[in-house]
Amino acid sequence: MTDKKRILSGMRPTGPLHLGNWHGALINWVKMQKEYDCFFFVADWHALTSDYEKTGSISKYIRDMIIDWLSVDLSPEKSTLFIQSHVKEHAELFLILSMITPVPWLERNPTYKDQIVQLSNKDLSTFGFLGYPVLQAADIIMYKPFGVPVGIDQVPHVEITREIARRFNYLYGDIFPEPQAVLTQTSKMLGIDRRKMSKSYDNAIYLSDNPDVIADKVSGMITDPQRARKNDPGNPDVCNVFDFHKIYTDKETIDQIDKECRVADIGCVKCKKIMAQNLINALEPVRKKREYYLSRPELVDEIIKNGIQKARNVAQQTMEEVRAAVKI
Ligand code: TRP
Ligand code: SF4
């Protein structure tokens, strides 16, 4: 047992993780391991809500995601890392919560309306998609965390979770603390085409990209759009490559590039090469750990198995309380 306060968060396994995921969610998660009793899980049932027609890649993505997590230092000793669908209690709690959740709460959920429009290529008029936040509420309150680290887009879901917890407590007795959203700083990282970095835009640099791929992607990055020729002065303030420098390059070099770019003393090709090398260096430890785990599949199996067992122990206990409270 631990006296640390508990937090919990999850991610849908929709593909390999990129630098935006790293500097957004993951770095925060890694830091939180010091201070909190952390539960992190792969939300594979949630991936089904929108990708139910093509499920073939999900199991690969789950494992890749856990290896991505381990490579950036989420630690199986410090945190409980698990897979949602292996803790069946989530489904039972989801079912019970669905009995008490008014449909209008779900229909007015801003992310629901948003996604239906944005993912218009998929038929999302399903029961499961509408019920997404109920499953998420089950994921969360199962572990009675005080906080849920999420990006701003997920705040409405945590708000619905609080409402559902409140309603449960009102109907059946006080079992669930109301969890708080803990805002993780959102990454402003843009992709190589200057749009938001995202798998679906095909503009991402992945944690698992090898150095050659990274060098290649960086060389294709769009810079200051006003700077057409090497002799034109550039403006680092509007250059995406410069934003990457701010993360990966030392202060002195940044200042120098800042000055030289503005008077056309440095060309974009050279500037990108410097950045690519620093990014490759920053990812070197991540790459090493990835190789370590990739060459030890049984160790990864073991880590996943232990995480699931730890999560199950908590979930089973919660469900005993829930069944007793609901009298069923
Ligand atoms: N909805 C979250 C997302 O898309 C994933 C998720 C599912 C989650 N269950 C959760 C996040 C519970 C935090 C807590 O990113
Ligand atoms: Fe951007 Fe560097 Fe080119 Fe300046 S020199 S525009 S900072 S890539």
Side-chain angles (χ1 to χ4, degrees):
M1 277 307 276
T2 157
D3 302 332
K4 289 180 178 167
K5 291 208 276 184
R6 181 173 293 164
I7 59 152
L8 167 136
S9 196
M11 264 184 207
R12 284 176 304 142
T14 50
L17 297 179
H18 53 63
L19 296 179
N21 302 125
W22 191 26
H23 294 289
L26 286 172
I27 284 187
N28 283 296
W29 288 12
V30 170
K31 279 196 207 126
M32 288 178 147
Q33 295 185 119
K34 274 210 198 87
E35 215 181 314
Y36 300 106
D37 174 26
C38 297
F39 281 62
F40 298 122
F41 72 98
V42 183
D44 53 346
W45 278 332
H46 274 103
L48 277 184
T49 57
S50 54
D51 295 339
Y52 59 87
E53 284 185 280
K54 274 183 93 182
T55 56
S57 309
I58 294 181
S59 65
K60 173 172 169 16
Y61 289 159
I62 293 171
R63 197 174 173 90
D64 288 353
M65 179 167 269
I66 288 182
I67 290 176
D68 275 332
W69 286 0
L70 294 169
S71 320
V72 297
D73 271 344
L74 284 186
S75 145
E77 277 92 48
K78 294 185 199 147
S79 300
T80 304
L81 310 176
F82 67 101
I83 304 169
Q84 181 187 35
S85 70
H86 288 250
V87 184
K88 308 294 180 200
E89 285 76 7
H90 288 232
E92 185 182 354
L93 185 55
F94 166 60
L95 180 143
I96 291 178
L97 298 180
S98 76
M99 301 298 166
I100 66 169
T101 305
V103 174
W105 289 7
L106 304 173
E107 285 170 337
R108 68 164 196 240
N109 167 23
T111 16
Y112 176 69
K113 295 189 208 160
D114 241 42
Q115 296 269 63
I116 293 253
V117 176
Q118 274 185 27
L119 306 178
S120 55
N121 55 331
K122 295 177 184 165
D123 178 6
L124 296 180
S125 57
T126 58
F127 177 56
F129 191 69
L130 180 66
Y132 188 111
V134 186
L135 181 56
Q136 184 159 349
D139 298 337
I140 296 172
I141 64 179
M142 183 75 86
Y143 301 91
K144 303 182 183 177
F146 102 95
V148 186
V150 283
I152 189 103
D153 62 308
Q154 291 294 313
V155 169
H157 288 155
V158 180
E159 197 43 54
I160 298 179
T161 300
R162 293 165 63 87
E163 289 178 277
I164 294 176
R166 215 175 298 147
R167 189 160 162 83
F168 183 100
N169 291 343
Y170 167 75
L171 291 167
Y172 306 118
D174 245 330
I175 291 195
F176 294 115
E178 281 178 40
Q180 253 167 258
V182 181
L183 267 194
T184 57
Q185 140 228 348
T186 37
S187 158
K188 299 212 182 64
M189 195 148 217
L190 301 180
I192 56 177
D193 59 358
R194 295 178 100 226
R195 292 188 291 170
K196 182 183 156 64
M197 189 178 285
S198 157
K199 186 177 60 86
S200 43
Y201 293 152
D202 199 20
N203 66 358
I205 297 175
Y206 295 102
L207 294 174
S208 49
D209 281 343
N210 69 40
D212 291 342
V213 172
I214 294 175
D216 206 44
K217 287 185 176 174
V218 170
S219 78
M221 276 174 81
I222 295 180
T223 65
D224 171 3
Q226 302 295 327
R227 191 176 187 195
R229 268 165 267 105
K230 195 179 161 203
N231 296 338
D232 298 338
N235 181 1
D237 300 333
V238 300
C239 177
N240 189 22
V241 174
F242 195 68
D243 287 336
F244 278 64
H245 274 299
K246 285 186 206 150
I247 305 178
Y248 302 111
T249 302
D250 63 281
K251 176 94 176 58
E252 212 176 305
T253 314
I254 294 177
D255 289 346
Q256 194 182 342
I257 291 173
D258 192 355
K259 278 199 208 96
E260 292 183 0
C261 171
R262 290 175 201 277
V263 293
D265 264 357
I266 183 172
C268 295
V269 173
K270 179 170 174 204
C271 181
K272 285 174 174 177
K273 280 211 173 111
I274 299 171
M275 193 278 275
Q277 192 52 54
N278 292 339
L279 169 56
I280 289 167
N281 294 347
L283 281 174
E284 186 57 28
V286 177
R287 201 159 29 246
K288 285 239 168 69
K289 266 178 233 129
R290 171 184 311 283
E291 275 162 23
Y292 176 88
Y293 286 109
L294 282 177
S295 63
R296 289 168 182 76
E298 319 78 40
L299 174 62
V300 176
D301 292 342
E302 187 71 16
I303 288 171
I304 296 174
K305 199 176 108 211
N306 290 342
I308 290 170
Q309 195 51 54
K310 266 162 60 190
R312 251 183 219 152
N313 290 344
V314 178
Q316 281 168 358
Q317 169 139 31
T318 302
M319 285 318 295
E320 277 175 28
E321 293 171 46
V322 167
R323 290 180 209 119
V326 180
K327 303 192 172 60
I328 208 155

